[in-house]
Amino acid sequence: VIIQKEGSKSALYQIACDIVSLMTLRPAPVEAASTEVEDNGTAANADANGSAPSSAPSGEDGNIDTAAAAAAAPTLQKGDTPILLSQAFFVVAFSKYYFTPWFDSAMQPDPQFGSDSHGHNSRLFVQQTFLMREELDEMMGDNKWKEMPEFRHYIASLAGLPSLGDVKKGGLEFMNKATDTFFREYNTSFIKHIENVWTSTMILPYIIGGHPELAHEFIRWLRASDDGDLAADNFAWSTKEIEIENQKSYGESHECRIDACMICLTKNADPGVILEDSFIAEIKDSLFESLESEEVVNFLDRSRCQQADEYDPVRKRICEVVAPHASQQQRIECLVQEINAMARTNVKEARRTVRVVIFVTLNHPYNRESVDKKREERSTMKEKLKVKRVNGAERITGYFNHVEGVLAEAEKAVEEAGEQKYKEI
């Protein structure tokens, strides 16, 4: 479709043509390959012993079993599968099962702070780091990803790849090596950019705003360090199993053991340094007092937030320091695109900036709130998740009502501020 619609000078046209060309590349099986005789009288495709490479992989090193792949796709013959197609199947499967859901969760709003807080969920991202690590280890352990239904098209495509005896020849050995390398490099990147960041001494304290049970254990760990129990090896994590909801996707929950979670999260952190940092030092007394409560304290419990109590300093620290910290910068990237679009109206920088602020103030909250409202009308979670955006006349009517509501709020704010204050602003 792209090739038919785009002009030949389009970059997208060139990319589409290249992909179509690559899709024609298929590694040929040994018996169909060239048998041109070399000077020594042996076939060009023969190995060092003069015999053709085996068409079956060993299977002893964790590589794909071609028999299983062939059973999944009995109509494929060796040499039928384009190597790029197998690669695409693998990337799509990994993205569908792991990468996209976790990435989307980083852009979700914090349920505590409303639907327009998308991306500002750092108080939950520390515990999410453990869940991501646990799921990645589960995929990689014993190559269990090969048994997952998301990868069935990739596994089936391998039946059409011949075994050529060398990864450089682009056959089955190449794909086995490629997937091993992918997981190794992804794991290295995960450790560097996610695990080491969110479990660091500086960021780990954000967990006080996360799951109450994990926050409780974190505070117990700090007090044990303060009392010298860690040094004396007199501290043990709770082995209780807890359920963490709405972390990977809307309506989904994860079960985890507290000890496994906290061991993973605290391995890079120094409790002594954390206790001296002003983020914790200034609220240490309130944190330690929470350990004396008969029940595990949820610092952000809405009923508790209605009244002042001894945990006010903790709540204030979470709302003022943790909540504004975005877990990723997609919201900023979105603004960059909107500013670029507004620049095309040929207005100067000041007016352009004001227009973007107005646009964002109106559009972003409505996009989220309209979806939430539409989902409330659906009865099952499956039906709720199908709602991605409100369109058509329903969107226009809803947006008009939303703008009217914002304008009413603005007029009320001006009246409360007074004319003099409004002019000063």
Side-chain angles (χ1 to χ4, degrees), residues 197-211:
V197 173
W198 292 94
T199 63
S200 66
T201 297
M202 180 178 293
I203 302 297
L204 178 62
Y206 284 10
I207 200 172
I208 64 174
H211 194 287

Side-chain angles (χ1 to χ4, degrees), residues 83-354:
I83 192 70
L84 182 63
L85 183 62
S86 287
Q87 295 173 12
F89 278 146
F90 177 81
V91 172
V92 169
F94 180 81
S95 176
K96 181 179 180 180
Y97 176 78
Y98 185 86
F99 185 84
T100 299
W102 285 119
F103 183 80
D104 286 346
S105 72
M107 296 189 288
Q108 292 302 309
D110 187 318
Q112 185 68 34
F113 299 114
S115 60
D116 195 35
S117 64
H118 47 279
H120 291 275
N121 49 18
S122 291
R123 72 180 183 91
L124 304 173
F125 214 88
V126 175
Q127 63 197 39
Q128 177 166 319
T129 298
F130 168 72
L131 298 177
M132 294 172 70
R133 161 52 62 198
E134 187 177 49
E135 191 164 273
L136 185 61
D137 286 346
E138 184 180 351
M139 290 180 67
M140 295 168 59
D142 296 327
N143 288 320
K144 287 185 178 179
W145 61 269
K146 298 175 183 177
E147 303 170 6
M148 295 177 177
E150 289 79 7
F151 290 88
R152 65 184 182 279
H153 293 306
Y154 167 73
I155 298 297
S157 74
L158 298 180
L161 292 178
S163 179
L164 302 178
D166 190 343
V167 295
K168 297 179 180 179
K169 296 180 179 179
L172 186 63
E173 293 82 2
F174 170 81
M175 284 308 306
N176 286 332
K177 182 70 173 179
T179 54
D180 290 343
T181 302
F182 173 87
F183 278 111
R184 184 180 67 250
E185 293 298 322
Y186 187 89
N187 186 55
T188 299
S189 179
F190 179 88
I191 293 172
K192 179 179 180 181
H193 297 290
I194 297 179
E195 197 167 71
N196 287 349
V197 173
W198 292 94
T199 63
S200 66
T201 297
M202 180 178 293
I203 302 297
L204 178 62
Y206 284 10
I207 200 172
I208 64 174
H211 194 287
E213 294 278 3
L214 299 181
H216 180 84
E217 284 299 291
F218 172 72
I219 298 168
R220 272 208 322 121
W221 179 65
L222 291 182
R223 189 168 71 173
S225 175
D226 202 40
D227 294 342
D229 290 340
L230 286 185
D233 200 22
N234 292 329
F235 177 80
W237 297 108
S238 168
T239 58
K240 181 180 179 180
E241 288 199 0
I242 60 173
E243 190 173 88
I244 301 177
E245 297 180 344
N246 298 324
Q247 198 74 48
K248 183 179 181 181
S249 62
Y250 184 76
E252 184 175 344
S253 63
H254 294 259
E255 290 185 357
C256 72
R257 275 182 45 141
I258 290 177
D259 54 346
C261 179
M262 296 307 296
I263 289 172
C264 173
L265 295 180
T266 58
K267 63 185 178 182
N268 295 325
D270 185 333
V273 176
I274 292 175
L275 285 165
E276 294 176 359
D277 188 270
S278 60
F279 178 84
I280 292 295
E282 294 173 5
I283 59 174
K284 185 176 77 171
D285 292 341
S286 295
L287 292 174
F288 287 0
E289 283 178 18
S290 71
L291 298 177
E292 308 304 324
S293 174
E294 294 182 0
E295 298 181 352
V296 173
V297 175
N298 180 356
F299 297 115
L300 295 177
D301 180 11
R302 290 188 178 277
S303 61
R304 184 182 294 277
C305 292
Q306 302 301 320
Q307 54 187 0
D309 60 21
E310 64 272 28
Y311 306 127
D312 269 354
V314 181
R315 274 196 297 277
K316 187 176 181 181
R317 187 55 52 90
I318 294 171
C319 294
E320 292 183 352
V321 178
V322 181
H325 186 173
S327 60
Q328 39 71 34
Q329 298 301 322
Q330 290 304 306
R331 193 165 190 168
I332 303 302
E333 292 295 333
C334 183
L335 286 174
V336 170
Q337 299 301 322
E338 289 167 352
I339 290 173
N340 179 52
M342 202 62 68
R344 297 179 182 179
T345 60
N346 294 323
V347 295
K348 294 185 178 180
E349 185 174 346
R351 184 173 294 277
R352 183 190 314 164
T353 303
V354 172

Side-chain angles (χ1 to χ4, degrees), residues 38-102:
E38 298 178 343
D39 293 339
N40 59 5
T42 59
N45 287 305
D47 61 17
N49 298 320
S51 59
S54 172
S55 60
S58 65
E60 297 178 357
D61 56 357
N63 287 335
I64 297 294
D65 182 358
T66 50
T75 59
L76 283 176
Q77 301 298 319
K78 299 299 181 183
D80 282 353
T81 302
I83 192 70
L84 182 63
L85 183 62
S86 287
Q87 295 173 12
F89 278 146
F90 177 81
V91 172
V92 169
F94 180 81
S95 176
K96 181 179 180 180
Y97 176 78
Y98 185 86
F99 185 84
T100 299
W102 285 119

